[in-house]
Amino acid sequence: MQENNNENKKILNENDANDVMQNSENTETNDTEETDVTPVSEENVSESELTENNESDVPNTISEEEIADNYSFDDEEDDFAISTEENDETSPSEQDDNADDDTETDIEKEQRKAELTKKIKAGLKKAAVPALIAVIVLICTFIAFFIYSLSTIEEDKVMKNVYIEQLDVGGLTYDEALDSINATYLLQDAAITLTSNGQTYEINGSDIGLTAVAEDTAKKAFDYCKSDSTFKNALAAIELMFKPHVIVPAVQVDTEQLDAKLNEFGNIALGERKQHYVEFNDDGTLTIYSGKTGYNLDPSTAEQEVITALSNEIFNNIAVTFASAPPDEMTVESLDALVYKDPTDARYEVNGNDVNIVAGDTGRYINKDEAAAIIGNVYEGCEPVTLPFYVSYPTVDENTLREKLFSATLSSYSTSYGSSTANRCANVARAASLINGKVIAPGDVFSFNDTVGHRTIENGFSTAKEYVDGKSVDGIGGGTCQVSSTLYSAVLYADLSIVERLNHMMTVGYIPLGQDATVSDGGVDFKFKNNTDYPIKVSAYTSGATITVSIIGTDWEPHREVKISNTSSTSGKNTVVHSTRYVYVNGELISTDTLNTSTYMPHEP
């Protein structure tokens, strides 16, 4: 009985296989005539034919394994599962029937898998054509933009729609862009943000002298879309069709201004470093207070970090590095340097022709042995340390200077102008009044022309005879040279330094030869220097037909006596005078000065 059943099953399976092959041929014919997928029973389609259809119909195939992975039939298999107990109780005939059912169930599963595969393939076929068309359109569009963008690149001009900050330089040549940059204040209002130690600090471009390097900035703009890569140039040019490209200028900063701002930020970020310091008390003691750790005032690292960031077009959240340091160790020498001060003498202060006396000041110092005994108690965080200091006094006080100021007449010299015209007499008096009371501070130089001013009617001068080109002619201010010559002689006898002096072209009768000093408005001048330690004052006045000039100051210590020697000789028609000044102290010669040689021409008839 069992053998017959097996035989029947074998015959049935062979027949089923033939039916499947026949149905497979029919299915293949139907696929070529119809666009829709017709469900085919798994009994009529062999597995080999399904595989052949998969390979021929769809270029990009999906394997059955992939479908099986995405669409599982395990649940359906569970529906047909039979427990072991039930199977054990089933009769042999029932087991044969169940085997036939299992075969049919497997075929149904394969049929559903085939149907799903064909539907997916059909869907892919329908979607592939529009997608392919869209891709081709996109490629063609990109190629068109690519070709057109390359045509917009001009080798001798900046690309259009290129800006340097708000400055439009598109379409300009390099030189035109350079001129535009130079005419524009770039980056001065740029906002820059620094960060350090959890702190934020904002500065403005103008605070650090931030400016654009015109040549480098113009080159950045000019070189845009002109790299070695055609593809990159085209992409950049396409982008310019839709939005502007903004160039950040090449930058330079004033490092001194930048360092000042960085030091401000460093003190904020790390705290201000304080050295040990001293305060002076009214009771003659000083107190030393502890310093504290803080920013070391070295911005060099932060400076380079800022410059590097700005050069890389980074303006916000620039991280900068600061370092801290403790206060310097206090030593006896450093303490002495903090405390020691020289006393200052009272001094004169000249303002125009006014002389003020500025009071002196006391000095101070410490006893270094006393300081050595307590210096070890000074450190960061220590309690205040007390130490006595001592006072030193100036050698010259206000009263001394007041007593010496203009206390002596260093010299006095007079000349006569009795035979002069009224206008000449007036000019002598006018010039004398203008130099009278003139104060010259120690080390300063007196100028006759600067003091008297222009010889004009408006300045109080009159027309009188004067020497011009060796001739006596009428001129405004004639007679002024007698005042300068009298002053020169007074200066010689005061032993003051001569800076500039020139004799007349022809001899004059109001003063010894060699002791005259000619002047001209805007030309020849007479100058001398106050080489004393005190202010001096010129006193000049006229009385009758005499002018007297005196130098008032503080007497030389020890007192000096001056003698002048003038030796004359002839050279052709000219008279030559050699002058010498001798200075004596207590009758002893201490200096000999060779003065200017004076050469005089004869008077013209």
Side-chain angles (χ1 to χ4, degrees):
M1 181 70 176
Q2 183 68 36
E3 292 177 359
N4 289 334
N5 287 337
N6 292 337
E7 187 72 26
N8 290 335
K9 285 182 180 181
K10 181 177 180 181
I11 294 171
L12 177 62
N13 290 338
E14 289 176 355
N15 292 333
D16 290 341
N18 291 331
D19 291 341
V20 169
M21 290 179 64
Q22 183 176 358
N23 289 337
S24 174
E25 292 174 358
N26 294 336
T27 302
E28 186 174 327
T29 303
N30 291 337
D31 286 344
T32 59
E33 293 175 354
E34 298 179 10
T35 58
D36 295 331
V37 177
T38 304
V40 179
S41 67
E42 198 147 18
E43 300 176 71
N44 299 330
V45 182
S46 68
E47 183 175 351
S48 62
E49 287 177 331
L50 179 60
T51 303
E52 290 175 1
N53 287 337
N54 289 344
E55 292 175 352
S56 62
D57 291 345
V58 182
N60 296 323
T61 60
I62 300 176
S63 67
E64 289 184 7
E65 288 80 1
E66 292 174 319
I67 296 173
D69 289 341
N70 292 323
Y71 301 93
S72 173
F73 295 90
D74 291 343
D75 292 341
E76 296 182 10
E77 290 177 358
D78 292 342
D79 292 341
F80 296 96
I82 301 173
S83 68
T84 306
E85 278 184 17
E86 293 174 349
N87 199 25
D88 291 341
E89 296 175 359
T90 305
S91 66
S93 61
E94 289 175 346
Q95 290 179 2
D96 292 339
D97 293 339
N98 289 337
D100 293 339
D101 293 340
D102 290 343
T103 301
E104 293 174 357
T105 301
D106 291 340
I107 293 173
E108 289 175 356
K109 289 195 300 181
E110 293 300 324
Q111 177 185 359
R112 283 192 291 272
K113 288 166 66 175
E115 289 175 358
L116 181 60
T117 300
K118 287 187 176 292
K119 288 181 181 180
I120 292 174
K121 290 180 180 179
L124 289 174
K125 284 183 179 180
K126 290 181 179 180
V129 173
L132 180 61
I133 293 173
V135 170
I136 293 172
V137 170
L138 286 175
I139 293 174
C140 292
T141 302
F142 176 77
I143 293 172
F145 268 107
F146 187 90
I147 295 172
Y148 175 74
S149 66
L150 290 176
S151 70
T152 64
I153 300 175
E154 298 181 78
E155 293 300 322
D156 61 341
K157 291 183 179 179
V158 178
M159 290 293 292
K160 292 182 179 178
N161 217 16
V162 170
Y163 288 77
I164 300 173
E165 287 196 321
Q166 293 83 25
L167 178 64
D168 185 0
V169 293
L172 302 182
T173 65
Y174 172 83
D175 290 336
E176 290 171 341
L178 184 62
D179 291 340
S180 296
I181 294 168
N182 286 325
T184 306
Y185 294 100
L186 297 173
L187 296 175
Q188 290 190 347
D189 294 328
I192 301 165
T193 305
L194 309 179
T195 63
S196 182
N197 199 33
Q199 299 288 331
T200 301
Y201 189 70
E202 294 183 358
I203 55 178
N204 191 275
S206 60
D207 295 335
I208 59 173
L210 181 65
T211 56
V213 181
E215 293 80 6
D216 293 346
T217 302
K219 189 174 187 303
K220 286 177 69 175
F222 185 79
D223 288 346
Y224 189 66
C225 291
K226 297 183 180 71
S227 70
D228 294 335
S229 172
T230 302
F231 185 74
K232 288 182 179 180
N233 293 340
L235 290 181
I238 292 173
E239 187 178 11
L240 285 174
M241 298 178 191
F242 302 98
K243 66 176 184 177
H245 178 73
V246 179
I247 298 288
V248 176
V251 301
Q252 62 183 6
V253 299
D254 184 317
T255 54
E256 288 188 4
Q257 290 181 268
L258 173 59
D259 288 351
K261 284 296 179 181
L262 289 174
N263 284 338
E264 289 182 9
F265 185 31
N267 284 330
I268 294 172
L270 299 182
E272 185 176 355
R273 180 192 185 200
K274 289 186 178 179
Q275 299 290 357
H276 304 305
Y277 62 100
V278 172
E279 289 186 357
F280 298 94
N281 307 315
D282 294 336
D283 61 357
T285 63
L286 59 84
T287 303
I288 306 170
Y289 293 93
S290 166
K292 70 173 184 177
T293 296
Y295 170 53
N296 67 355
L297 291 178
D298 179 8
S300 56
T301 300
E303 175 191 296
Q304 289 303 314
E305 290 169 338
V306 171
I307 292 174
T308 299
L310 296 179
S311 299
N312 291 325
E313 303 181 1
I314 300 172
F315 288 75
N316 294 320
N317 297 323
I318 302 173
V320 292
T321 304
F322 297 115
S324 61
D328 294 336
E329 179 184 2
M330 179 166 279
T331 64
V332 172
E333 295 303 323
S334 64
L335 176 59
D336 182 62
L338 285 175
V339 175
Y340 185 82
K341 185 181 75 169
D342 281 323
T344 56
D345 291 339
R347 69 185 188 279
Y348 297 111
E349 187 175 77
V350 177
N351 184 15
N353 290 333
D354 295 326
V355 180
N356 299 316
I357 298 176
V358 179
D361 195 10
T362 58
R364 60 175 177 254
Y365 62 95
I366 58 173
N367 183 309
K368 292 185 178 182
D369 291 335
E370 294 175 344
I374 56 90
I375 202 67
N377 298 328
V378 180
Y379 52 86
E380 184 172 5
C382 71
E383 293 297 322
V385 178
T386 301
L387 180 73
F389 70 92
Y390 304 93
V391 176
S392 56
Y393 297 92
T395 57
V396 179
D397 58 20
E398 293 177 73
N399 292 332
T400 302
L401 290 187
R402 192 172 289 109
E403 291 173 358
K404 289 186 174 183
L405 181 62
F406 305 138
S407 59
T409 299
L410 300 182
S411 66
S412 184
Y413 202 88
S414 298
T415 59
S416 176
Y417 52 93
S419 60
S420 299
T421 64
N423 282 355
R424 188 177 186 282
C425 292
N427 289 337
V428 171
R430 175 59 179 162
S433 69
L434 291 172
I435 67 171
N436 183 53
K438 177 65 177 178
V439 174
I440 305 100
D444 284 359
V445 173
F446 170 92
S447 165
F448 185 87
N449 283 342
D450 290 346
T451 304
V452 172
H454 293 297
R455 270 71 96 188
T456 61
I457 300 297
E458 292 76 14
N459 196 23
F461 290 95
S462 304
T463 302
K465 294 294 183 179
E466 59 184 4
Y467 287 143
V468 178
D469 295 331
K471 295 181 179 180
S472 179
V473 298
D474 288 334
I476 299 175
T480 305
C481 290
Q482 184 166 349
V483 179
S484 60
S485 295
T486 307
L487 174 61
Y488 173 51
S489 292
V491 167
L492 286 176
Y493 285 102
D495 197 20
L496 301 179
S497 299
I498 307 303
V499 176
E500 181 180 337
R501 172 261 175 184
L502 183 65
N503 61 281
H504 287 81
M505 295 182 67
M506 294 175 288
T507 59
V508 293
Y510 52 79
I511 204 164
L513 296 182
Q515 290 181 218
D516 60 316
T518 185
V519 291
S520 65
D521 190 2
V524 179
D525 199 2
F526 167 59
K527 296 179 180 180
F528 68 91
K529 179 181 180 180
N530 177 7
N531 55 308
T532 75
D533 295 331
Y534 302 91
I536 59 175
K537 177 170 60 176
V538 175
S539 171
Y541 63 93
T542 58
S543 178
T546 300
I547 175 174
T548 301
V549 177
S550 301
I551 304 298
I552 311 299
T554 303
D555 199 5
W556 291 101
E557 296 181 0
H559 176 74
R560 296 180 183 181
E561 182 181 357
V562 177
K563 294 182 179 180
I564 305 296
S565 171
N566 299 305
T567 304
S568 297
S569 63
T570 59
S571 176
K573 295 182 180 181
N574 297 334
T575 301
V576 179
V577 178
H578 299 280
S579 301
T580 306
R581 176 168 58 183
Y582 301 96
V583 181
Y584 298 86
V585 171
N586 297 324
E588 182 179 349
L589 181 66
I590 64 169
S591 68
T592 301
D593 298 329
T594 300
L595 304 175
N596 291 16
T597 297
S598 304
T599 301
Y600 302 96
M601 298 171 55
H603 287 269
E604 293 289 334

